[in-house]
């Protein structure tokens, strides 16, 4: 029987001995007894094991190093210590894997910066245990939400020949020899490459997602996403996970409704299904977190026109590092000011200038904005980016020409506007931004198991 410590603690006292395994978090010897805290990753606290000197390997056990792997058998008894209901009175302890004092996680607290350099070991700490349990649960909640809403789950490709966001942030996928790249008249000849065309890792599953929405009505994708964006911030990763729903016969307002329902669902889910880890974050990472998330789960999200947002930023007394002007994109400092200071809660900014948004967004009648929406939340800024898509073939083609996007590579996308085109809309939620938002963790590198950022791809 492979029992989890969490289950054993939940079952409570029993007369029969129980047995489980885990890793040592601490060993103390007091008044002749040895106390070991053992953790198997199933909860924050693990279990306290009390070892009596009569145990045949007591001396060995009392000198165990932090990080050692043990299998323990004993009787669960009520604990006289505060903060824990049960402890285990050990009958047998088997040392499965030893760890000596060179094990790097000796101290109680290490900085997140240091722990990033030992990302192979940090899952064994309390904070990262809580982060990765929350992350796992939230991934399952994403599927549960869309399943309850009858959305079709589609696996969009990872290797692609199109740059959805048009920002030129594609990582190249090639089998050509870089030192001997075939050229025709000095121009790279991709016809000799593996796929006989220029390919890269996807920056978004949206374009393929749209094709499925135009067959199944409501779909979503949830997968790894790659951006060769050279921005070294606490919110950008070169490899991250994105959730992208897409709905046919839907407009921007339907899109915002779905996003709001989705975020609130995830907030409630975290509070209800991950309460122990959320309490940990509230205590150790961000005081007031639970109150903040409860507030979001109950709030009405504001909706504000981009034009109004610019107007209010211009009229504010705040001094920003980046300029504020109609036509310029909002920077994180502006986004946070809007959601934290002006509105005081989650806010959709809608109808952005077309010049700062992607080619596929639906053009509004004013001739200068598109039906885009970004959801801004306190602490993080943009967490969702979405839009109603341009479903009118002529307008889509003329926008692509204006933006110098070659339409031969997107012939299949244009085809979807040729036959049975319909209004449709969708959005992308950055999964790591969500985990940051719900845990209070402030750096994206600390919510993804093995972060990839410019100049970092270890492990
Ligand atoms: O705003 P973005 O670029 O939108 C799209 O990719 C659309 N195709 C989505 C759609 O409409 N289907 O990205 C969407 C979200 C952002 O709001 C952000 O949360 C996250 O993806 N994101 C990143 N997260 C981490 N690291 C990065 N480099 C990110 N870039 C975007
Ligand atoms: Mg965006």
């Amino acid at each position: 029987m492979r029992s989890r410590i969490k289950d054993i603690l939940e079952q409570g006292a029993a007369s029969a001995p129980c047995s489980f395994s885990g890793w040592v978090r601490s060993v103390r010897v007091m008044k002749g007894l040895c106390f070991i805290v053992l953790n198997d990753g199933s909860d924050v606290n693990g279990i306290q094991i009390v070892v009596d000197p009569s145990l045949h390997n007591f001396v060995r056990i009392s000198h165990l190093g932090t990080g050692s792997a043990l299998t323990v058998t004993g009787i669960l008894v009520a604990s006289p210590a505060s903060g824990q209901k049960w402890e285990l009175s050990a009958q047998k302890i088997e040392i499965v894997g030893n760890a000596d004092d060179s094990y790097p996680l000796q101290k109680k607290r290490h900085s997140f910066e240091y722990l990033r350099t030992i990302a192979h070991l940090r899952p064994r700490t309390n904070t990262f245990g809580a982060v990765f349990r929350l992350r796992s649960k939230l991934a399952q909640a994403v599927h549960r939400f869309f399943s309850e809403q009858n959305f079709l789950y589609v696996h969009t490709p990872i290797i692609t020949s199109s740059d959805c966001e048009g920002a030129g942030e594609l990582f190249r996928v090639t089998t050509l020899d870089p030192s001997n790249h075939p050229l025709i008249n000095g121009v790279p000849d991709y016809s000799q490459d593996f796929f006989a065309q220029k390919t890269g890792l996807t920056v978004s599953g949206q374009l393929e997602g749209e094709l499925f929405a135009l067959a199944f009505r409501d779909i979503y994708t949830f997968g790894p996403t790659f951006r060769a964006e050279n921005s070294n911030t606490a919110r950008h990763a070169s490899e991250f996970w994105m959730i992208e729903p897409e709905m046919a016969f839907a407009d921007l307002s339907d899109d915002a409704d779905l996003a709001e329902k989705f975020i609130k669902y995830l907030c409630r889910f975290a509070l209800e299904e991950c309460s122990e880890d959320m309490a940990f974050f509230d205590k150790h990472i961000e005081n007031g977190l639970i109150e903040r998330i409860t507030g979001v789960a109950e709030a009405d999200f504001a909706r504000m026109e981009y034009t109004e947002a610019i107007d209010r930023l211009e009229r504010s007394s705040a001094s920003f590092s980046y300029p504020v002007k109609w036509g310029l994109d909002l920077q994180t400092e502006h986004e946070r000011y809007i959601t934290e200071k002006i509105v005081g809660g989650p806010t959709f900014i809608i109808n952005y200038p077309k010049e700062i948004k992607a080619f596929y967004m639906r053009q509004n009648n004013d001739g200068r904005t598109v039906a885009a929406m970004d959801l801004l939340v306190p602490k993080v800024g943009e967490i969702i980016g979405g839009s109603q898509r341009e479903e009118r073939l002529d307008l889509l083609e003329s926008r692509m020409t204006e933006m110098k996007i070659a339409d031969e590579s997107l012939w299949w996308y244009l085809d979807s506007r040729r036959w049975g085109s319909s209004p449709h809309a969708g959005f992308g939620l950055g999964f790591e931004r969500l985990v940051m938002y719900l845990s209070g963790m402030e750096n994206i590198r600390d919510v993804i198991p093995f972060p990839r950022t410019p100049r970092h791809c270890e492990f």
Side-chain angles (χ1 to χ4, degrees), residues 164-165 169 203-207 210 225-227 229 231 235-246 255 357-358 360-361 373-375 380 382-387 389 425-434 444:
C164 170
E165 294 305 301
E169 291 167 351
V203 297
S204 160
Q206 177 196 322
L207 301 187
E210 284 185 51
T225 309
F226 308 87
R227 295 196 184 173
E229 186 177 7
S231 47
R235 312 176 323 133
H236 289 88
S238 316
E239 177 179 301
F240 61 100
W241 285 63
M242 183 152 60
I243 300 135
E244 295 182 279
E246 191 74 32
D255 204 23
K357 290 291 183 187
Y360 52 71
M361 296 192 182
M373 63 168 206
D374 277 5
L375 176 63
V380 173
E382 177 190 339
I383 194 167
I384 279 180
S387 62
R389 322 303 189 187
F427 64 79
L429 167 66
F431 188 55
E432 286 71 22
R433 301 242 177 121
L434 173 78
I444 195 163

Side-chain angles (χ1 to χ4, degrees), residues 21 97 117 142-143 163 167 173 179 185-186 225 281 284 287 304 327 340 381-382 387 392 421:
S21 307
T117 69
V142 166
H143 291 298
D163 177 0
V173 171
S179 61
N185 300 328
T225 309
F281 294 129
H284 298 285
N287 293 329
M304 189 189 288
E340 291 168 16
E382 177 190 339
S387 62
R392 298 160 296 186
S421 186

